[in-house]
Amino acid sequence: MVNKEILLVRDNGPLRGEVSISGAKNSALPILAASILATEEVILDEVPKLKDIEVMVEILRSLNAKVEYISDTSLKIDASKVDKYETPFELMDKMRASFIVMGPLLARFGHAITKAPGGCNIGKRPIDLHLKGFESLGANTTMNHEEISSLAKCGLKGDVIYLDFPSVGATENIMMAACLAEGETVIENAAKEPEIVDLASFLSKMGADIIGAGTSNIIIKGVEKLKGTRHTIVPDRIEAATYMLAAAITKGDILVKNVIGSHIRPVIAKLIEMGTHVEEIDDEDMIRVRTDKRLKPTTIKTLPYPGFPTDVQSQFMALMTVCNGESSVVETVFENRFMHVDELKKMGAVIVTEGNRAAIVGVDKLHGAEVKATDLRAGAALILAGLVAEGETMISDIYHIDRGYSDLIKKFTNLGAKIERKQVI
């Protein structure tokens, strides 16, 4: 018999209290990868304690980087002895974001070999934009069923690269590769996410010449080498949004600390539209979310930043299942991001999907059920639903949730949630 872990969530009324948001996973991962470029020691603060971070640390160590924790959330990385450009396939299978090491390895060695990345099965996330970017910089890419290899025999040279879609990963990978390329690189139709800006800030502290991060055109002028630095990871906007929604769905009152309001403007706007009271305390990076009534329905459409984030769609749909009326969701980023719908329906949710659209009719009460986390954000949605469902909600496949939420049990229980991790056979 094999033991597996589940989350047990019970209805317990309004959540109240304070929660401090951890550093952003989607910022920490590329920044960890970028440390490969440094010739000196790098220190990163506010690194979240997550499975994905552990995998990235393993990948860095497999390349002969020295990585050690100097506190609970601070890492010291010395990549001066990195002498490999091939990443272990078994580690690449565990996490899609692992592909982000291709750019730094290509920049440092002119060669990078890896396996096609794994991760959540939420739809097609092709790596062709990454590879087209590398090829524009002078690398020749070959692929087979086992590996992907990019080789720049004559070194990387700057170029103008237009992205057909503002891919976050491609923008990051190309930006890191271009830092040590000869000449100037321009990324057109670049992703604008705060995590892009954070990565650019980190690279600039190491001596990179980057302007335009956060806009659709990023200009990188290649430099000869990058030095060491110390950097604090930006707060996780998706984690912040999840706890804000926890206040809304439980009719609670939560003060969310270490959050940047401008990073989640669409989420704030929709919560206010639905009748939630949202108070931003900008000078202290805090947002208070409270409500004591059933919320009005709304419509969301996911878009690349600064639009409504696809990573909050699942959690927002959980809130919609108990709103007073019919809401709708249009998912434009990932074509397979409605896998949580069937799980929510097991709990009594009324949802009809057609293609990339979902109609949600709010019910008076959800009921507990045995459900599974089909991906990271779907798992968060099921937790939110479980907080207001009658009886017990048993969530399996919680390894997905562990990939993206640091200290989840502790943070939720501190707010009064009845949630626990259990071993089952």
Side-chain angles (χ1 to χ4, degrees), residues 153-206:
K153 286 184 177 179
C154 300
L156 298 178
K157 294 179 171 55
D159 199 357
V160 177
I161 301 166
Y162 176 81
L163 297 179
D164 296 330
F165 177 83
S167 161
V168 174
T171 300
E172 292 167 340
N173 238 340
I174 296 165
M175 185 163 62
M176 289 186 283
C179 282
L180 299 181
E182 181 184 326
E184 181 178 280
T185 298
V186 180
I187 307 174
E188 297 181 341
N189 196 32
K192 305 174 184 177
E193 273 74 359
E195 296 80 14
I196 299 287
V197 178
D198 200 26
L199 173 61
S201 172
F202 173 68
L203 291 167
S204 296
K205 286 180 183 178
M206 293 199 297

Short mmCIF file of all heavy atoms in Angstrom, two decimals, residues 153-206:
data_model
loop_
_atom_site.label_atom_id
_atom_site.label_comp_id
_atom_site.label_asym_id
_atom_site.label_seq_id
_atom_site.Cartn_x
_atom_site.Cartn_y
_atom_site.Cartn_z
N LYS A 153 27.94 28.35 -32.40
CA LYS A 153 29.37 28.12 -32.67
C LYS A 153 30.18 29.40 -32.69
O LYS A 153 31.33 29.44 -32.27
CB LYS A 153 29.53 27.38 -34.00
CG LYS A 153 29.14 25.91 -33.95
CD LYS A 153 29.42 25.23 -35.27
CE LYS A 153 29.09 23.74 -35.20
NZ LYS A 153 29.35 23.05 -36.48
N CYS A 154 29.59 30.46 -33.21
CA CYS A 154 30.31 31.74 -33.34
C CYS A 154 29.88 32.74 -32.28
O CYS A 154 30.11 33.94 -32.43
CB CYS A 154 30.09 32.32 -34.74
SG CYS A 154 30.66 31.25 -36.07
N GLY A 155 29.25 32.26 -31.24
CA GLY A 155 28.78 33.15 -30.18
C GLY A 155 27.44 33.78 -30.52
O GLY A 155 26.99 33.74 -31.66
N LEU A 156 26.80 34.34 -29.50
CA LEU A 156 25.50 34.99 -29.70
C LEU A 156 25.69 36.44 -30.15
O LEU A 156 26.57 37.14 -29.66
CB LEU A 156 24.69 34.95 -28.39
CG LEU A 156 24.35 33.57 -27.84
CD1 LEU A 156 23.60 33.70 -26.52
CD2 LEU A 156 23.51 32.78 -28.85
N LYS A 157 24.84 36.87 -31.08
CA LYS A 157 24.90 38.23 -31.60
C LYS A 157 23.51 38.84 -31.55
O LYS A 157 22.51 38.20 -31.88
CB LYS A 157 25.44 38.24 -33.03
CG LYS A 157 26.89 37.79 -33.12
CD LYS A 157 27.40 37.78 -34.55
CE LYS A 157 28.91 37.54 -34.61
NZ LYS A 157 29.30 36.30 -33.91
N GLY A 158 23.45 40.09 -31.12
CA GLY A 158 22.17 40.77 -30.95
C GLY A 158 21.36 40.87 -32.23
O GLY A 158 21.91 40.87 -33.34
N ASP A 159 20.04 40.96 -32.07
CA ASP A 159 19.15 41.04 -33.22
C ASP A 159 17.80 41.59 -32.75
O ASP A 159 17.55 41.70 -31.55
CB ASP A 159 18.97 39.65 -33.85
CG ASP A 159 18.44 39.71 -35.29
OD1 ASP A 159 18.18 40.82 -35.77
OD2 ASP A 159 18.29 38.64 -35.90
N VAL A 160 16.94 41.90 -33.70
CA VAL A 160 15.57 42.30 -33.38
C VAL A 160 14.69 41.04 -33.42
O VAL A 160 14.68 40.33 -34.43
CB VAL A 160 15.04 43.35 -34.38
CG1 VAL A 160 13.58 43.68 -34.07
CG2 VAL A 160 15.90 44.60 -34.34
N ILE A 161 14.00 40.77 -32.32
CA ILE A 161 13.20 39.55 -32.20
C ILE A 161 11.76 39.94 -31.91
O ILE A 161 11.47 40.58 -30.89
CB ILE A 161 13.74 38.66 -31.06
CG1 ILE A 161 15.20 38.27 -31.35
CG2 ILE A 161 12.88 37.41 -30.90
CD1 ILE A 161 15.92 37.68 -30.15
N TYR A 162 10.85 39.55 -32.79
CA TYR A 162 9.43 39.81 -32.58
C TYR A 162 8.76 38.54 -32.08
O TYR A 162 8.88 37.48 -32.70
CB TYR A 162 8.75 40.27 -33.88
CG TYR A 162 7.25 40.44 -33.73
CD1 TYR A 162 6.73 41.60 -33.16
CD2 TYR A 162 6.37 39.43 -34.11
CE1 TYR A 162 5.36 41.75 -32.98
CE2 TYR A 162 5.00 39.57 -33.94
CZ TYR A 162 4.51 40.73 -33.37
OH TYR A 162 3.15 40.88 -33.20
N LEU A 163 8.06 38.65 -30.96
CA LEU A 163 7.34 37.50 -30.41
C LEU A 163 5.90 37.50 -30.92
O LEU A 163 5.19 38.49 -30.78
CB LEU A 163 7.34 37.55 -28.88
CG LEU A 163 8.70 37.47 -28.18
CD1 LEU A 163 8.53 37.55 -26.66
CD2 LEU A 163 9.43 36.18 -28.55
N ASP A 164 5.47 36.39 -31.50
CA ASP A 164 4.10 36.28 -32.00
C ASP A 164 3.08 36.42 -30.87
O ASP A 164 1.95 36.84 -31.09
CB ASP A 164 3.89 34.94 -32.70
CG ASP A 164 4.77 34.80 -33.94
OD1 ASP A 164 5.05 35.83 -34.57
OD2 ASP A 164 5.16 33.66 -34.28
N PHE A 165 3.48 36.02 -29.67
CA PHE A 165 2.65 36.14 -28.48
C PHE A 165 3.56 36.63 -27.35
O PHE A 165 4.72 36.21 -27.28
CB PHE A 165 2.04 34.76 -28.13
CG PHE A 165 1.21 34.76 -26.88
CD1 PHE A 165 -0.11 35.17 -26.91
CD2 PHE A 165 1.76 34.36 -25.66
CE1 PHE A 165 -0.89 35.17 -25.75
CE2 PHE A 165 0.99 34.37 -24.50
CZ PHE A 165 -0.34 34.78 -24.55
N PRO A 166 3.06 37.51 -26.48
CA PRO A 166 3.94 38.03 -25.41
C PRO A 166 4.19 37.00 -24.32
O PRO A 166 3.72 37.13 -23.19
CB PRO A 166 3.16 39.24 -24.88
CG PRO A 166 1.73 38.93 -25.18
CD PRO A 166 1.74 38.17 -26.48
N SER A 167 4.94 35.97 -24.67
CA SER A 167 5.24 34.87 -23.76
C SER A 167 6.20 35.32 -22.66
O SER A 167 7.25 35.89 -22.94
CB SER A 167 5.88 33.72 -24.55
OG SER A 167 6.58 32.83 -23.70
N VAL A 168 5.81 35.03 -21.42
CA VAL A 168 6.66 35.40 -20.28
C VAL A 168 7.98 34.63 -20.34
O VAL A 168 9.07 35.20 -20.26
CB VAL A 168 5.94 35.14 -18.95
CG1 VAL A 168 6.88 35.38 -17.77
CG2 VAL A 168 4.71 36.03 -18.83
N GLY A 169 7.87 33.30 -20.48
CA GLY A 169 9.08 32.47 -20.48
C GLY A 169 10.02 32.80 -21.61
O GLY A 169 11.25 32.86 -21.42
N ALA A 170 9.48 33.02 -22.81
CA ALA A 170 10.33 33.35 -23.96
C ALA A 170 11.01 34.70 -23.75
O ALA A 170 12.19 34.87 -24.05
CB ALA A 170 9.50 33.35 -25.24
N THR A 171 10.26 35.67 -23.24
CA THR A 171 10.84 36.99 -22.97
C THR A 171 12.00 36.86 -21.99
O THR A 171 13.08 37.44 -22.19
CB THR A 171 9.78 37.95 -22.40
OG1 THR A 171 8.70 38.10 -23.34
CG2 THR A 171 10.37 39.32 -22.11
N GLU A 172 11.80 36.08 -20.93
CA GLU A 172 12.85 35.91 -19.92
C GLU A 172 14.06 35.19 -20.49
O GLU A 172 15.21 35.62 -20.29
CB GLU A 172 12.29 35.13 -18.73
CG GLU A 172 11.25 35.90 -17.94
CD GLU A 172 10.46 35.05 -16.96
OE1 GLU A 172 10.43 33.81 -17.12
OE2 GLU A 172 9.87 35.63 -16.03
N ASN A 173 13.83 34.09 -21.20
CA ASN A 173 14.92 33.29 -21.74
C ASN A 173 15.76 34.10 -22.73
O ASN A 173 16.99 34.07 -22.70
CB ASN A 173 14.36 32.04 -22.42
CG ASN A 173 14.91 30.75 -21.81
OD1 ASN A 173 15.95 30.76 -21.16
ND2 ASN A 173 14.22 29.65 -22.04
N ILE A 174 15.09 34.83 -23.61
CA ILE A 174 15.80 35.63 -24.62
C ILE A 174 16.54 36.78 -23.95
O ILE A 174 17.69 37.09 -24.31
CB ILE A 174 14.81 36.15 -25.68
CG1 ILE A 174 14.20 34.98 -26.47
CG2 ILE A 174 15.49 37.13 -26.62
CD1 ILE A 174 12.98 35.35 -27.28
N MET A 175 15.92 37.41 -22.97
CA MET A 175 16.55 38.53 -22.27
C MET A 175 17.84 38.08 -21.59
O MET A 175 18.88 38.76 -21.66
CB MET A 175 15.57 39.11 -21.26
CG MET A 175 16.07 40.35 -20.53
SD MET A 175 14.72 41.28 -19.73
CE MET A 175 14.09 40.09 -18.56
N MET A 176 17.80 36.91 -20.94
CA MET A 176 19.00 36.40 -20.26
C MET A 176 20.08 36.01 -21.26
O MET A 176 21.27 36.30 -21.05
CB MET A 176 18.63 35.21 -19.37
CG MET A 176 17.84 35.61 -18.14
SD MET A 176 17.55 34.24 -16.98
CE MET A 176 16.24 33.34 -17.81
N ALA A 177 19.69 35.39 -22.37
CA ALA A 177 20.67 35.00 -23.39
C ALA A 177 21.34 36.23 -23.98
O ALA A 177 22.54 36.24 -24.26
CB ALA A 177 19.99 34.18 -24.48
N ALA A 178 20.54 37.29 -24.17
CA ALA A 178 21.05 38.50 -24.84
C ALA A 178 22.00 39.32 -23.97
O ALA A 178 22.75 40.15 -24.48
CB ALA A 178 19.87 39.36 -25.28
N CYS A 179 21.97 39.09 -22.64
CA CYS A 179 22.79 39.91 -21.73
C CYS A 179 24.28 39.83 -22.07
O CYS A 179 25.01 40.81 -21.89
CB CYS A 179 22.58 39.47 -20.29
SG CYS A 179 21.06 40.08 -19.59
N LEU A 180 24.74 38.65 -22.52
CA LEU A 180 26.16 38.48 -22.84
C LEU A 180 26.40 38.37 -24.34
O LEU A 180 27.51 38.06 -24.78
CB LEU A 180 26.71 37.23 -22.14
CG LEU A 180 26.64 37.21 -20.60
CD1 LEU A 180 27.24 35.91 -20.06
CD2 LEU A 180 27.34 38.42 -20.01
N ALA A 181 25.35 38.64 -25.14
CA ALA A 181 25.51 38.57 -26.60
C ALA A 181 26.23 39.82 -27.11
O ALA A 181 26.22 40.88 -26.47
CB ALA A 181 24.14 38.47 -27.27
N GLU A 182 26.84 39.67 -28.26
CA GLU A 182 27.53 40.81 -28.88
C GLU A 182 26.51 41.75 -29.51
O GLU A 182 25.65 41.33 -30.28
CB GLU A 182 28.49 40.29 -29.96
CG GLU A 182 29.29 41.36 -30.66
CD GLU A 182 30.14 40.80 -31.78
OE1 GLU A 182 30.63 39.65 -31.63
OE2 GLU A 182 30.30 41.49 -32.81
N GLY A 183 26.58 43.04 -29.16
CA GLY A 183 25.69 44.01 -29.78
C GLY A 183 24.36 44.16 -29.05
O GLY A 183 24.21 43.77 -27.89
N GLU A 184 23.39 44.70 -29.77
CA GLU A 184 22.10 45.07 -29.17
C GLU A 184 20.98 44.12 -29.61
O GLU A 184 20.87 43.79 -30.79
CB GLU A 184 21.74 46.50 -29.58
CG GLU A 184 20.43 47.01 -28.99
CD GLU A 184 20.16 48.46 -29.38
OE1 GLU A 184 20.76 49.36 -28.75
OE2 GLU A 184 19.39 48.69 -30.33
N THR A 185 20.17 43.73 -28.65
CA THR A 185 18.99 42.89 -28.93
C THR A 185 17.73 43.67 -28.57
O THR A 185 17.68 44.32 -27.52
CB THR A 185 19.03 41.60 -28.09
OG1 THR A 185 20.19 40.84 -28.45
CG2 THR A 185 17.79 40.75 -28.34
N VAL A 186 16.74 43.61 -29.43
CA VAL A 186 15.44 44.24 -29.17
C VAL A 186 14.38 43.15 -29.19
O VAL A 186 14.24 42.42 -30.18
CB VAL A 186 15.10 45.32 -30.21
CG1 VAL A 186 13.74 45.94 -29.89
CG2 VAL A 186 16.18 46.39 -30.27
N ILE A 187 13.64 43.01 -28.09
CA ILE A 187 12.52 42.06 -28.03
C ILE A 187 11.24 42.87 -28.22
O ILE A 187 10.89 43.70 -27.38
CB ILE A 187 12.47 41.31 -26.68
CG1 ILE A 187 13.81 40.64 -26.37
CG2 ILE A 187 11.35 40.26 -26.71
CD1 ILE A 187 13.86 40.00 -24.99
N GLU A 188 10.56 42.64 -29.34
CA GLU A 188 9.31 43.34 -29.64
C GLU A 188 8.12 42.46 -29.26
O GLU A 188 8.18 41.24 -29.39
CB GLU A 188 9.25 43.70 -31.13
CG GLU A 188 10.35 44.68 -31.54
CD GLU A 188 10.27 45.04 -33.02
OE1 GLU A 188 9.63 44.30 -33.79
OE2 GLU A 188 10.85 46.08 -33.39
N ASN A 189 7.04 43.09 -28.82
CA ASN A 189 5.87 42.39 -28.29
C ASN A 189 6.25 41.52 -27.10
O ASN A 189 5.78 40.39 -26.93
CB ASN A 189 5.16 41.55 -29.36
CG ASN A 189 3.76 41.14 -28.95
OD1 ASN A 189 3.07 41.86 -28.23
ND2 ASN A 189 3.32 39.96 -29.37
N ALA A 190 7.12 42.07 -26.26
CA ALA A 190 7.59 41.36 -25.07
C ALA A 190 6.49 41.30 -24.01
O ALA A 190 5.58 42.13 -23.98
CB ALA A 190 8.81 42.07 -24.49
N ALA A 191 6.57 40.30 -23.13
CA ALA A 191 5.68 40.22 -21.98
C ALA A 191 5.98 41.38 -21.03
O ALA A 191 7.12 41.85 -20.94
CB ALA A 191 5.86 38.89 -21.27
N LYS A 192 4.95 41.85 -20.32
CA LYS A 192 5.07 43.04 -19.47
C LYS A 192 4.92 42.73 -17.99
O LYS A 192 4.88 43.64 -17.17
CB LYS A 192 4.00 44.06 -19.86
CG LYS A 192 4.01 44.46 -21.32
CD LYS A 192 2.82 45.37 -21.63
CE LYS A 192 2.73 45.71 -23.11
NZ LYS A 192 1.53 46.53 -23.40
N GLU A 193 4.82 41.46 -17.64
CA GLU A 193 4.55 41.07 -16.25
C GLU A 193 5.54 41.66 -15.25
O GLU A 193 6.70 41.92 -15.58
CB GLU A 193 4.57 39.54 -16.13
CG GLU A 193 3.25 38.86 -16.44
CD GLU A 193 2.89 38.83 -17.91
OE1 GLU A 193 3.64 39.37 -18.74
OE2 GLU A 193 1.85 38.26 -18.24
N PRO A 194 5.09 41.88 -14.00
CA PRO A 194 6.00 42.35 -12.94
C PRO A 194 7.21 41.44 -12.76
O PRO A 194 8.29 41.91 -12.37
CB PRO A 194 5.11 42.35 -11.69
CG PRO A 194 3.73 42.48 -12.20
CD PRO A 194 3.71 41.76 -13.51
N GLU A 195 7.03 40.14 -13.03
CA GLU A 195 8.16 39.20 -12.90
C GLU A 195 9.24 39.47 -13.93
O GLU A 195 10.43 39.22 -13.69
CB GLU A 195 7.64 37.76 -13.01
CG GLU A 195 6.70 37.35 -11.89
CD GLU A 195 5.27 37.84 -12.04
OE1 GLU A 195 4.89 38.29 -13.15
OE2 GLU A 195 4.52 37.77 -11.06
N ILE A 196 8.85 39.98 -15.10
CA ILE A 196 9.82 40.40 -16.13
C ILE A 196 10.63 41.58 -15.61
O ILE A 196 11.87 41.62 -15.74
CB ILE A 196 9.10 40.79 -17.44
CG1 ILE A 196 8.31 39.61 -18.01
CG2 ILE A 196 10.09 41.36 -18.45
CD1 ILE A 196 9.14 38.53 -18.63
N VAL A 197 9.92 42.53 -15.01
CA VAL A 197 10.59 43.72 -14.46
C VAL A 197 11.55 43.32 -13.34
O VAL A 197 12.67 43.85 -13.24
CB VAL A 197 9.54 44.74 -13.95
CG1 VAL A 197 10.23 45.95 -13.33
CG2 VAL A 197 8.62 45.16 -15.08
N ASP A 198 11.13 42.38 -12.50
CA ASP A 198 11.98 41.94 -11.39
C ASP A 198 13.24 41.26 -11.90
O ASP A 198 14.35 41.50 -11.39
CB ASP A 198 11.18 40.98 -10.50
CG ASP A 198 11.77 40.86 -9.10
OD1 ASP A 198 12.44 41.81 -8.64
OD2 ASP A 198 11.57 39.82 -8.45
N LEU A 199 13.10 40.42 -12.92
CA LEU A 199 14.27 39.76 -13.51
C LEU A 199 15.21 40.79 -14.12
O LEU A 199 16.43 40.72 -13.93
CB LEU A 199 13.83 38.76 -14.58
CG LEU A 199 14.94 38.11 -15.40
CD1 LEU A 199 15.89 37.31 -14.52
CD2 LEU A 199 14.36 37.22 -16.50
N ALA A 200 14.66 41.76 -14.84
CA ALA A 200 15.49 42.80 -15.45
C ALA A 200 16.22 43.61 -14.37
O ALA A 200 17.39 43.99 -14.55
CB ALA A 200 14.63 43.72 -16.31
N SER A 201 15.53 43.88 -13.27
CA SER A 201 16.16 44.61 -12.16
C SER A 201 17.34 43.82 -11.59
O SER A 201 18.42 44.38 -11.34
CB SER A 201 15.12 44.85 -11.06
OG SER A 201 15.71 45.39 -9.90
N PHE A 202 17.15 42.51 -11.41
CA PHE A 202 18.22 41.65 -10.91
C PHE A 202 19.40 41.63 -11.87
O PHE A 202 20.56 41.81 -11.47
CB PHE A 202 17.68 40.24 -10.71
CG PHE A 202 18.72 39.21 -10.36
CD1 PHE A 202 19.38 39.24 -9.15
CD2 PHE A 202 19.02 38.19 -11.26
CE1 PHE A 202 20.34 38.30 -8.82
CE2 PHE A 202 19.98 37.24 -10.94
CZ PHE A 202 20.64 37.29 -9.72
N LEU A 203 19.12 41.44 -13.15
CA LEU A 203 20.19 41.41 -14.15
C LEU A 203 20.93 42.75 -14.21
O LEU A 203 22.16 42.79 -14.34
CB LEU A 203 19.61 41.07 -15.53
CG LEU A 203 19.08 39.63 -15.71
CD1 LEU A 203 18.25 39.53 -16.98
CD2 LEU A 203 20.23 38.64 -15.74
N SER A 204 20.18 43.84 -14.09
CA SER A 204 20.80 45.17 -14.12
C SER A 204 21.73 45.38 -12.93
O SER A 204 22.80 45.98 -13.05
CB SER A 204 19.72 46.26 -14.16
OG SER A 204 18.96 46.16 -15.35
N LYS A 205 21.31 44.87 -11.77
CA LYS A 205 22.17 44.97 -10.58
C LYS A 205 23.48 44.21 -10.80
O LYS A 205 24.51 44.57 -10.22
CB LYS A 205 21.45 44.39 -9.36
CG LYS A 205 20.35 45.26 -8.79
CD LYS A 205 19.72 44.57 -7.59
CE LYS A 205 18.57 45.36 -7.01
NZ LYS A 205 17.94 44.64 -5.86
N MET A 206 23.44 43.16 -11.62
CA MET A 206 24.65 42.38 -11.90
C MET A 206 25.50 43.03 -13.00
O MET A 206 26.58 42.55 -13.31
CB MET A 206 24.28 40.96 -12.31
CG MET A 206 23.66 40.14 -11.20
SD MET A 206 23.73 38.35 -11.53
CE MET A 206 22.73 38.19 -12.99
#
